[in-house]
Amino acid sequence: MTRRTCKQLRIGHVTIGGDAPIVVQSMTKTDTRDVTATINQIKELEDCGCEIVRVAVPDNETAKSLASIKKSVSLPIIADIHFDYRLALAALQAGVDGLRLNPGNIGDREQIAIVVAAAKEKEVPVRIGVNAGSLPVNFQPNMPLAERMVNMALEQIKFMESLDFDLIKVSLKAFDVLTTIQVYQMIADKIPYPLHLGITEAGLPRTGAIRSAVGIGILLHQGIGDTIRVSLSAHPCEEVLVAYEILKSLGLRQRGPILVSCPSCGRAEVDIIALAEAVSKRLQKISKPIKVAVMGCVVNGPGEAKDADVGIACGRGKGAIFRKGEVVNTTSEDSYLEAIMAEINRIA
Amino acid sequence: MTRRTCKQLRIGHVTIGGDAPIVVQSMTKTDTRDVTATINQIKELEDCGCEIVRVAVPDNETAKSLASIKKSVSLPIIADIHFDYRLALAALQAGVDGLRLNPGNIGDREQIAIVVAAAKEKEVPVRIGVNAGSLPVNFQPNMPLAERMVNMALEQIKFMESLDFDLIKVSLKAFDVLTTIQVYQMIADKIPYPLHLGITEAGLPRTGAIRSAVGIGILLHQGIGDTIRVSLSAHPCEEVLVAYEILKSLGLRQRGPILVSCPSCGRAEVDIIALAEAVSKRLQKISKPIKVAVMGCVVNGPGEAKDADVGIACGRGKGAIFRKGEVVNTTSEDSYLEAIMAEINRIA
């Protein structure tokens, strides 16, 4: 995994690109005009580990509420702008830390130039956010979808560069995983800017998390991607949780415990699924990135338990508790949960 | 995505490798000695799309129940054998369609030769299943883990080849995603046999599905992998569901509907999450692989709804229903669900 080289930029106090950690983003799902609800959701997002939050700005009234929201939260805010460039100007006025423009519905060069001039003055980065679902039908209609998406982004990038603006971040999202992988691969070595990854409209959590993990995971493993947003039809904190699980699985970020637990089979002498669920529930209160193993038999149990910070390898009516590779305790079946939690609490 | 070339083999009536579809496997979690419970779970697995089922065979009594189980189910059965080669012989006697041997705990060459001779006579394939958690500590102790796993598999493969046996399938599983990717990449062009992929002991469904999707997804996208098993601490049908979502996301298999749904944001004029959940619930009864889009606003809504077999793009109090790219109906907010389901039922 060699990471793609790109320029670095800052959204508020958060650095994106270069050798900065991959940044986790989400988006509020409240009515942005409801200032209190939006502030509360941004605070929830901050608590669950979100690092940048995007807020929809569909109209003037929303643009006005941005100033109040911005004053009450510490997470950097990106204004999501479609159709009307004047909303971008109002958002900059309100003090946002970043803009997202969709070149599929704000194409007028004079309008873009006005927004870019204002962003440049305030040193606010702009994401060029191309989506498969909002490409104008008359843009290169005879080309394949992937080329159309990449070409639309490249056109917009060149225009912004001609205005001597380089605080640029780029996304090229589609629902289709293979299309998404292809477009990011196509643009990766053509531009020097950070890339924001996502599988758009990925669906409900159970299936959308899997689509997102496959698509974002493949790109990150190729070294592509500087910030990610998982799009799920769910509370935004669920998006953040999934984003961190993707990053943790590739060793790119740490956040909270990692639970190794065996799937159980006809060999297990204990209800390992129930035990894993109980341990998982209690681990939610622990923020330290420890590795915990809950294993049901002697095949892989001792090996995995040994490899974890704390582990239990259950056998016939008895379980061995491991700490950092050594057996520190043996316990009977009725106290597995207490025994492993005691050891976890000792190191957490 | 160019698929790795390998030999083909058959587990019962199911073909694995070569240009065969990527096969979905799972494992029973019942006590194998409880014949009725095990048969019932195998039937549940068949209903949810599992194509091969593995059954733990920890002792002689279990080996005996295999014959009764085998007679009552139509899914091919693989016996999971550790420690004692005689259980493999008993499983072959009971009529299983495949064996899984763990070279980490059955290393004796004379014993392996006896099993291979019996498998050869019955033309039953053997999976050499190496797990990070059950590598003998004294096997190449100074080498890195990935090399040790690959070398253990290669040693066993060479020995079986020396016995003129080539009905071989190989797996190299670890909990660590990067290790798993590395070992499969290392072995992929060294052997001509089908590869069985999995992230072992991936944990509970929410996090385990994501780890599995990242690891298995990256390998499949590199053309590596002929059959997959998702290991979750959950009912085995959950493993099958996750396996299909991974394969569907890469266009490798079809199974049931695909739901595109927007994450919702401050722009949505309707509770799009509740609508997506309601549609998803009703789609469970549909087996046809149709693509359905539930979209909350005019940014990507019309584009995604147009691209689906059936879609709804909601706006201010009204929604447009699309069928195969054309608007076929406009509906008011109180009948979104009925309107889209009517259209789905028309084509499903």
Short mmCIF file of all heavy atoms in Angstrom, two decimals, chain B residues 15 18 39 49 78 89 112 129 161 167 177 181-182 187-188 191 207 212 215 219 223 257 273 279 284 289 308 314 348:
data_model
loop_
_atom_site.label_atom_id
_atom_site.label_comp_id
_atom_site.label_asym_id
_atom_site.label_seq_id
_atom_site.Cartn_x
_atom_site.Cartn_y
_atom_site.Cartn_z
N THR B 15 -19.43 -26.74 -9.21
CA THR B 15 -18.12 -26.57 -9.83
C THR B 15 -17.42 -25.36 -9.24
O THR B 15 -18.03 -24.30 -9.07
CB THR B 15 -18.29 -26.37 -11.35
OG1 THR B 15 -19.04 -27.48 -11.85
CG2 THR B 15 -16.94 -26.32 -12.06
N GLY B 18 -11.70 -22.13 -12.37
CA GLY B 18 -11.80 -21.91 -13.81
C GLY B 18 -12.72 -20.74 -14.08
O GLY B 18 -12.58 -19.68 -13.47
N ILE B 39 -29.51 -30.86 10.03
CA ILE B 39 -30.24 -30.93 8.76
C ILE B 39 -31.08 -29.67 8.56
O ILE B 39 -31.10 -29.08 7.48
CB ILE B 39 -31.14 -32.20 8.72
CG1 ILE B 39 -30.26 -33.45 8.61
CG2 ILE B 39 -32.14 -32.12 7.56
CD1 ILE B 39 -31.02 -34.76 8.79
N GLY B 49 -29.41 -19.30 -0.12
CA GLY B 49 -28.50 -19.17 -1.26
C GLY B 49 -27.12 -19.78 -1.07
O GLY B 49 -26.27 -19.69 -1.96
N ILE B 78 -18.94 -30.50 3.13
CA ILE B 78 -17.50 -30.63 3.36
C ILE B 78 -17.28 -30.90 4.85
O ILE B 78 -17.83 -30.18 5.70
CB ILE B 78 -16.76 -29.34 2.95
CG1 ILE B 78 -16.88 -29.14 1.43
CG2 ILE B 78 -15.28 -29.42 3.36
CD1 ILE B 78 -16.23 -27.86 0.92
N LEU B 89 -11.17 -40.08 7.38
CA LEU B 89 -11.52 -41.38 6.78
C LEU B 89 -12.98 -41.71 7.06
O LEU B 89 -13.72 -42.16 6.17
CB LEU B 89 -10.61 -42.47 7.34
CG LEU B 89 -9.11 -42.31 7.03
CD1 LEU B 89 -8.32 -43.44 7.70
CD2 LEU B 89 -8.88 -42.29 5.52
N ILE B 112 -1.51 -38.34 6.38
CA ILE B 112 -2.04 -37.59 5.23
C ILE B 112 -2.12 -38.50 4.01
O ILE B 112 -3.09 -38.46 3.25
CB ILE B 112 -1.13 -36.38 4.90
CG1 ILE B 112 -0.90 -35.54 6.15
CG2 ILE B 112 -1.69 -35.58 3.74
CD1 ILE B 112 -1.55 -34.23 6.19
N GLY B 129 -6.39 -26.10 4.38
CA GLY B 129 -6.87 -24.87 5.03
C GLY B 129 -5.92 -24.41 6.10
O GLY B 129 -5.99 -24.86 7.24
N GLU B 161 0.81 -33.62 -4.21
CA GLU B 161 1.15 -33.81 -5.63
C GLU B 161 2.06 -35.02 -5.80
O GLU B 161 1.95 -35.76 -6.78
CB GLU B 161 1.84 -32.55 -6.18
CG GLU B 161 0.86 -31.39 -6.38
CD GLU B 161 1.54 -30.08 -6.80
OE1 GLU B 161 2.75 -29.92 -6.51
OE2 GLU B 161 0.87 -29.23 -7.39
N LEU B 167 -6.82 -32.98 -6.67
CA LEU B 167 -8.15 -32.41 -6.35
C LEU B 167 -7.99 -31.51 -5.13
O LEU B 167 -8.52 -31.77 -4.06
CB LEU B 167 -9.15 -33.53 -6.08
CG LEU B 167 -9.46 -34.43 -7.28
CD1 LEU B 167 -10.37 -35.58 -6.87
CD2 LEU B 167 -10.13 -33.61 -8.39
N VAL B 177 -6.51 -8.23 7.86
CA VAL B 177 -6.89 -8.11 6.44
C VAL B 177 -5.66 -8.00 5.55
O VAL B 177 -5.57 -8.66 4.51
CB VAL B 177 -7.84 -6.91 6.25
CG1 VAL B 177 -8.07 -6.61 4.78
CG2 VAL B 177 -9.17 -7.16 6.95
N ILE B 181 -4.59 -10.58 2.54
CA ILE B 181 -4.40 -10.16 1.15
C ILE B 181 -3.01 -10.59 0.68
O ILE B 181 -2.84 -11.16 -0.41
CB ILE B 181 -4.57 -8.63 1.02
CG1 ILE B 181 -6.02 -8.23 1.32
CG2 ILE B 181 -4.15 -8.13 -0.37
CD1 ILE B 181 -6.23 -6.74 1.51
N GLN B 182 -2.02 -10.33 1.51
CA GLN B 182 -0.63 -10.65 1.15
C GLN B 182 -0.42 -12.14 0.88
O GLN B 182 0.19 -12.51 -0.13
CB GLN B 182 0.27 -10.18 2.30
CG GLN B 182 1.73 -10.10 1.96
CD GLN B 182 2.59 -9.88 3.22
OE1 GLN B 182 2.07 -9.60 4.30
NE2 GLN B 182 3.89 -10.02 3.07
N ILE B 187 0.59 -16.66 -2.98
CA ILE B 187 0.42 -18.03 -3.45
C ILE B 187 -0.27 -18.10 -4.82
O ILE B 187 -0.17 -19.12 -5.52
CB ILE B 187 -0.35 -18.89 -2.40
CG1 ILE B 187 0.12 -20.35 -2.50
CG2 ILE B 187 -1.85 -18.76 -2.56
CD1 ILE B 187 -0.20 -21.20 -1.30
N ALA B 188 -0.95 -17.01 -5.21
CA ALA B 188 -1.84 -17.06 -6.38
C ALA B 188 -1.16 -17.59 -7.65
O ALA B 188 -1.72 -18.42 -8.35
CB ALA B 188 -2.42 -15.67 -6.64
N ILE B 191 0.57 -21.73 -7.64
CA ILE B 191 -0.14 -23.02 -7.67
C ILE B 191 -1.31 -22.92 -8.66
O ILE B 191 -1.84 -21.83 -8.90
CB ILE B 191 -0.69 -23.40 -6.27
CG1 ILE B 191 -1.62 -22.29 -5.72
CG2 ILE B 191 0.46 -23.67 -5.30
CD1 ILE B 191 -2.39 -22.70 -4.50
N THR B 207 -19.24 -5.24 12.33
CA THR B 207 -17.84 -4.98 12.01
C THR B 207 -17.25 -6.09 11.14
O THR B 207 -16.46 -5.82 10.24
CB THR B 207 -17.01 -4.82 13.29
OG1 THR B 207 -17.19 -5.99 14.09
CG2 THR B 207 -17.45 -3.61 14.09
N SER B 212 -14.63 -8.29 6.26
CA SER B 212 -14.70 -9.31 5.21
C SER B 212 -14.85 -8.67 3.83
O SER B 212 -14.22 -9.10 2.87
CB SER B 212 -15.89 -10.25 5.46
OG SER B 212 -15.73 -10.90 6.70
N GLY B 215 -11.41 -7.16 2.78
CA GLY B 215 -10.39 -8.16 2.46
C GLY B 215 -10.75 -9.02 1.26
O GLY B 215 -9.97 -9.15 0.30
N LEU B 219 -9.25 -8.83 -2.86
CA LEU B 219 -8.71 -10.00 -3.56
C LEU B 219 -9.52 -10.34 -4.81
O LEU B 219 -8.96 -10.58 -5.88
CB LEU B 219 -8.65 -11.20 -2.60
CG LEU B 219 -7.51 -11.10 -1.58
CD1 LEU B 219 -7.70 -12.10 -0.45
CD2 LEU B 219 -6.15 -11.32 -2.26
N GLY B 223 -8.81 -10.48 -9.14
CA GLY B 223 -9.01 -11.72 -9.89
C GLY B 223 -8.69 -12.97 -9.09
O GLY B 223 -8.68 -14.08 -9.62
N PRO B 257 -32.96 -8.28 -5.31
CA PRO B 257 -32.91 -6.87 -5.70
C PRO B 257 -31.69 -6.14 -5.14
O PRO B 257 -31.09 -6.57 -4.17
CB PRO B 257 -34.19 -6.29 -5.08
CG PRO B 257 -35.06 -7.45 -4.77
CD PRO B 257 -34.13 -8.58 -4.47
N ILE B 273 -35.13 7.88 4.79
CA ILE B 273 -34.61 6.67 5.45
C ILE B 273 -35.76 5.71 5.76
O ILE B 273 -35.67 4.51 5.48
CB ILE B 273 -33.82 7.05 6.72
CG1 ILE B 273 -32.58 7.90 6.32
CG2 ILE B 273 -33.40 5.82 7.51
CD1 ILE B 273 -31.78 8.47 7.48
N VAL B 279 -39.34 0.06 1.79
CA VAL B 279 -39.18 -0.58 0.47
C VAL B 279 -38.29 -1.83 0.61
O VAL B 279 -38.61 -2.90 0.10
CB VAL B 279 -38.58 0.40 -0.56
CG1 VAL B 279 -38.21 -0.32 -1.86
CG2 VAL B 279 -39.57 1.54 -0.84
N GLN B 284 -37.65 -7.97 0.29
CA GLN B 284 -37.15 -9.28 0.74
C GLN B 284 -37.92 -10.44 0.12
O GLN B 284 -37.41 -11.56 0.02
CB GLN B 284 -37.22 -9.37 2.27
CG GLN B 284 -36.12 -8.57 2.96
CD GLN B 284 -36.30 -8.47 4.46
OE1 GLN B 284 -37.15 -9.15 5.02
NE2 GLN B 284 -35.53 -7.63 5.10
N PRO B 289 -33.37 -10.22 -9.66
CA PRO B 289 -32.31 -9.23 -9.42
C PRO B 289 -32.60 -7.87 -10.07
O PRO B 289 -31.94 -7.46 -11.02
CB PRO B 289 -31.08 -9.89 -10.05
CG PRO B 289 -31.62 -10.78 -11.11
CD PRO B 289 -32.98 -11.23 -10.66
N ALA B 308 -32.22 3.05 -12.68
CA ALA B 308 -32.67 1.82 -12.04
C ALA B 308 -33.80 1.18 -12.86
O ALA B 308 -34.33 1.79 -13.78
CB ALA B 308 -33.16 2.15 -10.63
N CYS B 314 -38.08 11.83 -5.06
CA CYS B 314 -39.03 12.65 -4.31
C CYS B 314 -38.63 14.12 -4.39
O CYS B 314 -37.45 14.47 -4.43
CB CYS B 314 -39.05 12.23 -2.85
SG CYS B 314 -39.39 10.47 -2.61
N ALA B 348 -41.52 -7.40 -11.32
CA ALA B 348 -40.83 -8.51 -10.60
C ALA B 348 -41.54 -9.85 -10.80
O ALA B 348 -42.66 -9.92 -11.20
CB ALA B 348 -40.71 -8.17 -9.12
#
